[in-house]
Amino acid sequence: MTLDKFRPLADRALGPFVSAAKVAGLSPNGVSVIAFLLALGAGGVYAAATREPLLYLGGAVLVFLNGWLDLVDGALARELNVASSGGDLLDHVLDRYADIGIIIGLAAGVGQWALGIAAVTGVLMTSYLGTQAQAVGLDRVYGGLLGRADRLALVGVVTGVAAFVPTALAGLTLVGWLLVVFAVVGHVTAVQRFYHAMVALE
C-alpha cells in the first residue's frame, strides 16, 4: 500500500493551488515552511486532545493541509522553474521535523511515550532509507508498505474518527493503535526499502 504511486494524478489536481500560490507571491520554500507550521500546529492540537477529543478533528484538517501543501511546493517550484537541490533539502528536513512533531503530539495526547519513540524511529528510518538509496546512486525509493503519503492519510482519517469514537481496545485508543501501526509497519517498510536498494546495487 502506498499512495505515492498516485502522485501524477495529484499533480494534475494541483493547478489551481499552484496558481493561487503564485498570485499570493509565495515561493516554493515559503509553501514548505507553511506546511511545516501546519504540521506543528497539528502536533500541538493532538497533544491537547486528551482533554477534548473533538480537537482531533482540527488536527486531522491540519494534517491533510500539510500533506496537500507538501505537494504544492514541488509543483510550484517546477512551474516557476526554480527547482533546486537546496529547496529539495529544505523540503525534506522540514518534512522530517513535521513527522516528528505530529507523532510526538499523538503520543503526548494518549500518554504513550514508548509507542511514540518506536513510531517515530520507524517513520524516520523509512524516510532515511528512501533518500539513502538515492545517495548511493539509485533512484529515490518511495515504495514499501507505508510511505509518507500513506502515513498522513492514516493520521488524518484515524484522528478524524477518534474525535467521535473515544473507546479503547486492549487498553489502547484508536490513536494508540495508530502508533502501534507506525512502530511496526514503519520498520517493516524501512527493511523493504533497504532490501530493494541492496538488490539493485548487486
Side-chain angles (χ1 to χ4, degrees), residues 96-110:
R96 299 296 74 76
Y97 276 111
D99 291 339
I100 293 169
I102 290 170
I103 293 174
I104 287 176
L106 291 170
V110 295

Side-chain angles (χ1 to χ4, degrees), residues 30-116:
V31 174
S32 296
V33 170
I34 292 171
F36 167 66
L37 293 176
L38 289 172
L40 290 188
V45 170
Y46 287 147
T50 184
R51 298 184 296 275
E52 179 48 69
L54 279 177
L55 287 175
Y56 278 126
L57 196 57
V61 171
L62 292 175
V63 165
F64 281 128
L65 288 174
N66 165 262
W68 191 249
L69 289 182
D70 194 39
L71 295 174
V72 171
D73 60 4
L76 180 61
R78 292 188 293 273
E79 174 72 15
L80 298 176
N81 197 28
V82 295
S84 66
S85 297
D88 188 48
L89 177 62
L90 176 68
D91 182 51
H92 277 273
V93 170
L94 292 180
D95 280 352
R96 299 296 74 76
Y97 276 111
D99 291 339
I100 293 169
I102 290 170
I103 293 174
I104 287 176
L106 291 170
V110 295
Q112 295 287 343
W113 291 107
L115 278 179

Side-chain angles (χ1 to χ4, degrees), residues 127-146:
S127 299
Y128 170 76
L129 266 300
T131 53
Q132 184 60 22
Q134 187 179 35
V136 296
L138 303 175
D139 291 332
R140 186 175 294 172
V141 179
Y142 289 107
L145 288 175
L146 208 61

